[in-house]
Amino acid sequence: MSKPVIVSGIQPTGNLHIGNYLGAVKNWLELQNSGKYDLYIFIADLHSLTGKLTAAQLREQVKITVVELLAAGIDPNKTTFFVQSHVKEHAELAWVFNCVTLMSELEKMTQFKEKASQQISATAGLFTYPILQAADILIYKGALVPVGQDQIQHVELTRDIARWFNNKYGVFFPETKHLLTNVPKVMSLLEPEKKMSKSLGAGHVIDMCESPEEINNKLKKAVTATVGGEVAPGVTNLLGLLKEFGDNNIYTQFVKSEKQGNIRYGDLKNTLAEAVSDYFSKFREKRSKLLKDTKKLDKILAKGAKKASKVAQNNMKEVRKLVGVR
Ligand code: ADP
Ligand code: TRP
């Protein structure tokens, strides 16, 4: 029996942060190391064309993201690891999906509404972004997609697109499901009611590669203020992070002192800063080494693209037949 296919991608937004890690990357590593799945992980550089990067910036960020995922533990011998634009069929399948998807369905996408509202006029690329995402997944007939909470809607649309295609042309694509981690939504340090995201600014996120001093400084400024007698959302967030990165006994003690009302936020922040920087110390070392070895990276990516292309080409051939084009 063939293994279930799992597909996920990440935009090359520069350094990965602990939200990316806890929401997605950690899950990829566990799924990879279980040996139970056929896993495809890629850098979504075509999706990043919807942003404002120059060509040189995009190339540099792709390189950093590749290095960071390898340093985090993505193993190209176990996972098909590649760059989206190296496999041409993603964009071709996206066109076919453009033609089975109603505009009214795309208009419902929260990410589009949010991003479009921040611009004077939005491009068609930003609007059809989730269609390319569906193609990324379905070109490998992906059954499961490990992502953070903010991507659930896009995976649901992927399932709809598969249905619309299957209804029109005959059953070919699976009905994809999302997979979440224990922490599908890490919150911002400075505005803990919002998702931790690069787009909010550097003070809101902790990057995986940050030095112990930088982590300490950022956590010192983390908001822990209470609103209306409830446990402050910032404190809940920091405790959640300690649970993931720290020692379980120490975590339990902090939860207890929070309940008793004698928690010291300064201690919580110091303990968490040390836990996070220890957790990623090997990652930082590997990252620095890999950044110097560009030749190795090219080789790894060429191998990944070759493996992915073989599957993508076969599936695209079938799709062309089903829809009646060459
Ligand atoms: P960002 O919002 O920082 O630009 P991306 O959109 O590139 O991050 O997200 C890449 C992956 O990381 C996705 O699977 C996404 O759901 C996940 N992710 C991003 N931010 C968070 C977060 N704060 N908490 C949990 N998962 C997250
Ligand atoms: N849109 C995703 C994000 O912003 C990245 C992505 C692109 C993706 N293609 C994908 C995620 C396919 C999962 C599967 O995080």
Side-chain angles (χ1 to χ4, degrees), residues 8-9 11 42 44 47 129 133 136-137 145 147 151:
S8 198
Q11 282 197 65
F42 63 90
H47 276 108
Y129 176 113
Q133 185 162 350
D136 295 335
I137 297 164
V145 184
V147 281
Q151 293 299 315

Side-chain angles (χ1 to χ4, degrees), residues 9-36:
I10 191 159
Q11 282 197 65
T13 46
N15 299 328
L16 298 176
H17 57 72
I18 59 171
N20 299 138
Y21 181 77
L22 292 178
V25 177
K26 187 168 179 242
N27 220 3
W28 300 351
L29 300 174
E30 283 166 10
L31 295 162
Q32 164 188 278
N33 296 332
S34 76
K36 289 189 202 151

Side-chain angles (χ1 to χ4, degrees), residues 22 25 31 42 49 51 55 73 89 103 110 164 217 220 229 244 275-276 296 312 314:
L22 292 178
V25 177
L31 295 162
F42 63 90
L49 296 180
E89 287 74 16
M103 285 172 63
T110 22
W164 298 327
N217 285 338
K220 264 196 194 129
E244 293 298 314
V276 174
K296 184 172 170 181
N314 274 335

